[in-house]
Amino acid sequence: TKACGAELLRFPPRRRYPTVELRAETFNGSTHVPVPSDSAFLQALLFELRLVGEHVFVEQRDTCARINHSCVHSVSTAAGELWPVLAFRKSGLIYACVPLVEGPLEPRPPLLTVSGLSQGLALLLGVMDYVSPSRKNEAELNAKIGQLRNLLIQACPLGTPLNTNIRSLNSSFEDIQEMPADKEQPAWRSSTYKGKPQVHVCITEKVKCMQYDQRDVVDTWQVYGAVNCKCDIEGSAPNVTLSLSLPTNAPPLQDIVVHHCVTSVDPAMLVSTSAEPLHDSVYNGPYKFPFIPPSDSFNLCYYTSQVPVPPILGCYQLVEEGSQIKITVNLKLHESIKNSFEYCEARIPFFNRGPIAHLEYKVSHGHLDLSREKSLLVWVIGQKFPKSLEVSLTGTVAFGTAGKEHPTDYVCTGNTAYVKLYFRIPDFTLTGCYVDQHSVQIFVPGKPKITASRELISSDYYIWNSKAPAPMVYRPLLD
């Protein structure tokens, strides 16, 4: 869903996207209404907003049946009713865009199903935030409006808003070309670089996990990764080839999605999906990505993988005994995991209870902190597990009278509770995926500097109390 022709209607700051208009014609079929010329669109929009001809009653526009409670309008043009047109007024200026509707326009789809509306609105609000502070200074306003067209090339190069914070782009507008000098330069490469060629690649894998330590509930975990690149290379359309590699017998990458700058990929790479069981014919690399990089940092690809074990296995037991509760937490780092953390901690929240008034505990490794609100225990394990790769925490907790400031949760009631793990392991991926710096090919003069890094980060890593039923919303769906 793309913001087509995002404009601040004080000319010349306007921008059209022919590729998006062509997509709209394909999606809309016989119901398509083309966007008219800039001047015709402006006059039609001013008429619709009652900024011209407001003293004359026009039934098509002024009838009570067309009372508009939103900023989404239907603009009458020579070719028909152009819809949806997102437009609003603020401080004497009109902000408008025509979002892409990926489907027929008749019957009109509900506004909530047109995701281009939210993207277009975010872009227009970013433009308004960039322009509005200069309303009282005409010279500054004119200067910002003059910059706006170039900024939109970077914020929305192909019709999809990539960065709606227009103000954050202001410092680099002088490096942005309004039109590429070289016809071979792709639209997503909005600026040129001068200097020594260098490429930075970072593989970030995140692991989600739900552990229950119960016979009737299956533990689940998932790994998903992103390969971020920053290529500082001279030339209008430099060619780069990057390869991802896996260790022998490692699970293959699946659900691969590539950036639009990738020029070609092996089709077998894209058809491997985690929705189907793994088999011997699954593509297992190497994964080559030839591409023409954008000027800024971007994610070259995303992927998932079905790894055999989670990095940390855990067991959590919480039992109430009178006015106190007893907790036991056991964690074990799998032997295949690199035992070198930037940070590793387990957070144990207590919902629907008062502040912790009494705490006795024993930890085999690290130390235990109590939050300022006295409703959360933070077990700081540190940067390494001991040689045994196992750590444990036992304790007794008593609570005072609950107040409004203490956390509540409608899911975690009674003994239904969890421990949540937070960790980051630098220079490590759970899949084993890595970038061989020698495999990076850059077809430009000079010897480029290649920097590659990787990391594993926890994301929604839960260990549920095995002495209570886990809530259904967090349990896997079993056939």
Side-chain angles (χ1 to χ4, degrees), residues 407-439:
T408 59
D409 192 304
Y410 294 106
V411 174
C412 296
T413 58
N415 287 351
T416 299
Y418 61 77
V419 172
K420 189 173 182 180
L421 299 188
Y422 295 81
F423 57 82
R424 177 181 180 269
I425 306 178
D427 194 27
F428 180 81
T429 52
L430 196 55
T431 61
C433 183
Y434 66 96
V435 174
D436 183 355
Q437 299 184 25
H438 300 289
S439 70

Side-chain angles (χ1 to χ4, degrees), residues 73-144:
H73 302 271
S74 178
V75 175
S76 180
T77 70
E81 291 289 317
L82 182 62
W83 181 93
V85 176
L86 186 60
F88 59 88
R89 299 172 61 192
K90 182 69 175 179
S91 302
L93 297 176
I94 301 173
Y95 303 83
C97 70
V98 183
L100 173 66
V101 178
E102 297 185 334
L105 298 176
E106 296 295 340
R108 288 184 179 175
L111 295 182
L112 289 177
T113 65
V114 183
S115 54
L117 284 171
S118 60
Q119 295 191 30
L121 180 60
L123 182 64
L124 293 181
L125 291 176
V127 172
M128 184 183 70
D129 179 64
Y130 168 72
V131 173
S132 293
S134 305
R135 285 296 300 134
K136 296 181 180 179
N137 187 324
E138 191 70 18
E140 184 180 347
L141 176 62
N142 289 333
K144 283 195 171 184

Side-chain angles (χ1 to χ4, degrees), residues 350-357 373-375 397-403 406-407:
F350 296 98
F351 299 105
N352 312 309
R353 304 176 188 270
I356 295 176
E373 298 80 10
K374 297 185 178 181
S375 58
V397 185
F399 301 90
T401 304
H406 293 283

Side-chain angles (χ1 to χ4, degrees), residues 195-198 233-234 440-450:
K196 184 178 179 180
Q198 50 187 347
I233 306 172
E234 291 186 357
V440 179
Q441 299 177 344
I442 305 177
F443 303 96
V444 295
K447 185 177 181 181
K449 178 182 178 182
I450 311 297

Side-chain angles (χ1 to χ4, degrees), residues 22-297:
L22 181 61
R23 292 187 65 204
E25 185 176 353
T26 303
F27 277 121
N28 303 158
S30 61
T31 62
H32 177 68
V33 177
V35 180
S37 66
D38 295 335
S39 58
F41 176 75
L42 175 60
Q43 291 302 316
L45 181 61
L46 293 176
F47 183 83
E48 171 65 23
L49 297 178
R50 297 177 174 82
L51 296 178
V52 295
E54 67 271 21
H55 300 300
V56 179
F57 176 80
V58 180
E59 183 175 357
Q60 181 182 1
R61 178 191 68 182
D62 301 321
T63 176
C64 293
R66 286 203 61 188
I67 297 177
N68 203 334
H69 297 287
S70 73
C71 55
V72 180
H73 302 271
S74 178
V75 175
S76 180
T77 70
E81 291 289 317
L82 182 62
W83 181 93
V85 176
L86 186 60
F88 59 88
R89 299 172 61 192
K90 182 69 175 179
S91 302
L93 297 176
I94 301 173
Y95 303 83
C97 70
V98 183
L100 173 66
V101 178
E102 297 185 334
L105 298 176
E106 296 295 340
R108 288 184 179 175
L111 295 182
L112 289 177
T113 65
V114 183
S115 54
L117 284 171
S118 60
Q119 295 191 30
L121 180 60
L123 182 64
L124 293 181
L125 291 176
V127 172
M128 184 183 70
D129 179 64
Y130 168 72
V131 173
S132 293
S134 305
R135 285 296 300 134
K136 296 181 180 179
N137 187 324
E138 191 70 18
E140 184 180 347
L141 176 62
N142 289 333
K144 283 195 171 184
I145 289 178
Q147 300 166 9
L148 186 57
R149 179 173 172 80
N150 289 339
L151 293 175
L152 285 174
I153 294 175
Q154 186 175 6
C156 193
L158 297 177
T160 301
L162 302 180
N163 187 351
T164 58
N165 186 0
I166 307 299
R167 185 183 297 180
S168 69
L169 306 176
N170 188 28
S171 60
S172 60
F173 78 94
E174 293 179 350
D175 298 328
I176 303 171
Q177 305 172 13
E178 181 170 339
M179 292 297 292
D182 190 333
K183 292 183 179 180
E184 294 183 357
Q185 179 171 337
W188 60 81
R189 191 166 174 81
S190 57
S191 63
T192 57
Y193 170 79
K194 299 293 183 182
K196 184 178 179 180
Q198 50 187 347
V199 175
H200 304 274
V201 184
C202 179
I203 302 176
T204 299
E205 288 188 354
K206 295 185 178 181
V207 54
K208 285 188 174 184
C209 192
M210 293 284 172
Q211 297 183 37
Y212 308 93
D213 192 35
Q214 296 184 9
R215 289 185 177 180
D216 60 336
V217 185
V218 178
D219 295 345
T220 61
W221 56 91
Q222 180 186 22
V223 178
Y224 52 100
V227 182
N228 184 268
C229 297
K230 178 69 167 69
C231 301
D232 295 326
I233 306 172
E234 291 186 357
S236 58
N239 288 295
V240 180
T241 298
L242 183 148
S243 296
L244 300 180
S245 301
L246 294 173
T248 305
N249 298 325
L253 305 184
Q254 297 177 289
D255 305 320
I256 297 176
V257 178
V258 300
H259 192 272
H260 58 73
C261 72
V262 176
T263 55
S264 65
V265 292
D266 189 325
M269 184 191 308
L270 303 179
V271 298
S272 177
T273 170
S274 58
E276 299 178 357
L278 288 174
H279 49 81
D280 294 339
S281 62
V282 170
Y283 188 89
N284 58 5
Y287 303 86
K288 289 188 176 182
F289 301 91
F291 59 95
I292 300 175
S295 306
D296 298 319
S297 175

